[in-house]
């Protein structure tokens, strides 16, 4: 089975970080987002991947080539015209065997064993309360998908499409994508994969669902931080420093420096970063960043950034109240 991973998007919601790094290379829980995705896929026995690159594609290619030895084809999407367009661009790399499409900004708890032997295509779904910002599937009483709707404004289903698709028959997907392009079918200005899958359904292709419980988005600062918390709960490192207090779970890279500080809980301190005279919790301090004299919470500090806070000098009389909150 080949994995198709689209990572060409600009990542506007994660600016300013994505001004200098593609979203998939942002550090979460001690490793780039794409590193988590590839490690999970390799663990699940996937040996071939197509990575669709665009924005800052050289950095993505360099990272993958220097860290992974699985067979990877890089395909270029020149303009981000939507997920459907991205997958269409990759169609030359489709094999006759099944495909697994996995979004480049989502980390999944993945167990492919129930999926691998399926004769029909499957869409990963999760029940959500408010489906209006997702694509959703409408299923019949046999669990087969009748209809797919991108970002429904009236409630038709609360089974949200989470960004993981098993395509049993790549040739039919290819046909549907070609049709999407030819007929210029767009929703909200973009070529949507959901619309291509709807075309497949209309051609008689059968689809069912599989439930995904562990699904961690990295597309916005607050979701990147919540995914960081989830990963640290799973992979916390144990490290001590002579003049610092470490409150697990944390990830502290072997060559990070911590001095006279309290780190954690839920803090990633990446390669070459240093934290001095500070209290940092629920935050990501990226490669080579330096934080000094600071109190940080729910913060993302980019690679090689420098943050210097200050200590207050107070002369406060009896029975006074100072409250910075
Ligand atoms: P998003 O919808 O999150 O877009 O794409 P984005 O550009 O990454 O981020 P924002 O919305 O500007 O903040 C979900 C996944 O699909 C890929 C993205 O790279 C991301 O991994 N994608 C999206 C493409 O590869 N090409 C596209 O045209 C659209």
């Amino acid at each position: 089975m080949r994995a198709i991973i689209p990572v060409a998007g600009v990542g506007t919601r994660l600016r300013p970080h994505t001004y200098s790094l593609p979203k998939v290379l942002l550090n979460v829980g001690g490793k780039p987002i794409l590193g988590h995705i590839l490690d999970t896929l390799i663990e699940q026995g996937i040996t071939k991947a197509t990575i669709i690159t665009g924005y800052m594609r050289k950095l993505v290619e360099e990272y993958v080539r220097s860290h992974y030895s699985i067979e990877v084809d890089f395909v270029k999407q020149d303009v981000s015209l939507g997920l459907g367009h991205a997958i269409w661009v990759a169609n030359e790399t489709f094999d006759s065997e099944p495909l697994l499409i996995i979004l480049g900004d989502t980390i999944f708890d993945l167990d492919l064993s129930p999926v691998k032997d399926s004769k029909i295509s499957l869409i990963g779904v999760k029940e959500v309360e408010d489906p209006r910002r997702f694509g959703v599937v409408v299923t019949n009483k046999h669990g087969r998908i009748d209809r797919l709707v991108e970002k429904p404004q009236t409630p038709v289903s609360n089974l949200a499409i989470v960004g993981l698709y098993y395509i049993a028959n790549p040739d039919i997907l290819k046909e549907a994508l070609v049709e999407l392009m030819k007929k210029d079918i767009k929703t909200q200005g973009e070529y949507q994969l959901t619309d291509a899958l709807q075309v497949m359904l209309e051609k008689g292709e059968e689809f069912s669902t599989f439930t995904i419980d562990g699904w961690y988005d990295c597309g916005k600062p607050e979701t990147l931080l919540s995914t960081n918390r989830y990963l640290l709960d799973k992979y916390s490192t144990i490290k001590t420093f002579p003049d610092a207090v470490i409150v697990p779970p944390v990830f502290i890279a072997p060559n990070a420096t911590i001095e006279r500080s309290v780190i954690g809980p839920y803090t990633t301190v990446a390669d070459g970063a240093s934290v001095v005279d500070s209290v940092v919790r629920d935050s990501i301090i990226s490669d080579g960043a330096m934080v000094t004299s600071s109190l940080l919470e729910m913060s993302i500090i980019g690679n090689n950034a420098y943050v210097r806070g200050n200590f207050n000098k107070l002369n406060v009389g009896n029975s006074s109240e100072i409250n910075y909150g």
Side-chain angles (χ1 to χ4, degrees):
M1 182 163 33
R2 174 181 288 268
I4 309 281
I5 316 169
V7 305
V10 173
T12 47
R13 289 167 299 159
L14 272 167
R15 285 175 177 163
H17 303 283
T18 47
Y19 281 128
S20 47
L21 265 189
K23 175 162 64 178
V24 284
L25 294 192
L26 297 182
N27 193 313
V28 57
K31 199 161 46 178
I33 298 165
L34 185 56
H36 290 284
I37 295 172
L38 288 172
D39 287 346
T40 304
L41 291 173
I42 292 166
E43 238 172 64
Q44 291 294 315
I46 291 198
T47 55
K48 284 185 287 184
T50 301
I51 301 186
I52 304 147
T53 57
Y55 183 67
M56 297 199 187
R57 66 191 179 88
K58 286 267 155 33
L59 293 179
V60 177
E61 288 192 27
E62 257 168 48
Y63 170 75
V64 175
R65 290 203 198 286
S66 61
H67 289 78
Y68 292 91
S69 54
I70 60 164
E71 188 188 321
V72 180
D73 289 304
F74 290 97
V75 176
K76 190 169 149 210
Q77 186 194 23
D78 286 317
V79 205
S80 289
L81 296 178
L83 194 55
H85 180 262
I87 308 299
W88 171 72
V89 165
N91 78 67
E92 295 294 316
T93 68
F94 293 2
D95 317 289
S96 52
E97 57 194 75
L99 297 176
L100 185 78
I101 301 173
I102 181 164
L103 292 192
D105 60 354
T106 310
I107 294 171
F108 293 98
D109 272 340
L110 202 56
D111 175 10
L112 286 179
S113 36
V115 173
K116 270 178 183 159
D117 298 324
S118 175
K119 295 279 175 278
I120 65 167
S121 295
L122 303 171
I123 298 183
V125 294
K126 185 175 165 82
E127 255 186 64
V128 294
E129 271 175 23
D130 180 6
R132 280 173 300 185
R133 59 195 183 88
F134 300 98
V136 297
V137 302
V138 181
T139 51
N140 65 23
K141 60 177 191 289
H142 308 294
R144 292 286 196 268
I145 296 177
D146 274 343
R147 199 152 59 94
L148 299 148
V149 189
E150 188 60 44
K151 304 190 178 71
Q153 288 317 302
T154 46
V156 286
S157 157
N158 59 354
L159 285 182
I161 301 172
V162 299
L164 198 63
Y165 311 81
Y166 170 83
I167 306 292
N169 193 341
D171 285 342
I172 312 275
L173 173 62
K174 191 169 173 171
E175 271 176 39
L177 290 167
V178 169
E179 193 170 320
L180 195 76
M181 295 299 134
K182 259 201 193 139
K183 294 190 176 163
D184 200 30
I185 301 170
K186 288 183 186 168
T187 301
Q188 299 187 344
E190 292 196 339
Y191 296 106
Q192 306 281 359
L193 179 59
T194 311
D195 291 334
L197 301 178
Q198 178 63 32
V199 172
M200 287 175 78
L201 269 176
E202 284 159 18
K203 285 180 183 297
E205 187 71 1
E206 274 194 297
F207 278 92
S208 187
T209 57
F210 66 108
T211 306
I212 306 266
D213 288 320
W215 155 54
Y216 307 94
D217 176 53
C218 300
K220 300 183 282 187
E222 57 277 23
T223 59
L224 189 70
L225 285 168
S226 60
T227 298
N228 186 55
R229 289 197 287 277
Y230 158 74
L231 291 167
L232 294 181
D233 266 332
K234 237 172 135 180
Y235 307 113
S236 181
T237 51
I238 298 167
K239 212 164 178 240
T240 53
F241 294 84
D243 55 356
V245 175
I246 308 298
V247 187
V250 295
F251 171 86
I252 300 178
N255 59 354
T257 307
I258 312 290
E259 289 172 9
R260 301 180 299 280
S261 295
V262 180
I263 305 293
Y266 298 112
T267 299
T268 289
V269 184
D271 264 356
S274 68
V275 180
V276 178
D277 292 326
S278 297
V279 176
V280 184
R281 60 184 181 220
D282 200 358
S283 294
I284 300 172
I285 313 296
S286 308
D287 291 17
M290 177 160 194
V291 171
T292 176
S293 310
S294 299
L295 278 181
L296 295 181
E297 184 178 51
M298 292 207 70
S299 300
I300 303 171
I301 309 298
N303 286 359
N304 305 313
Y306 176 62
V307 177
R308 185 189 174 91
N310 64 298
F311 286 92
N312 295 308
K313 181 180 172 196
L314 301 175
N315 187 11
V316 180
N318 293 358
S319 309
S320 305
E321 181 178 324
I322 308 279
N323 186 345
Y324 293 106

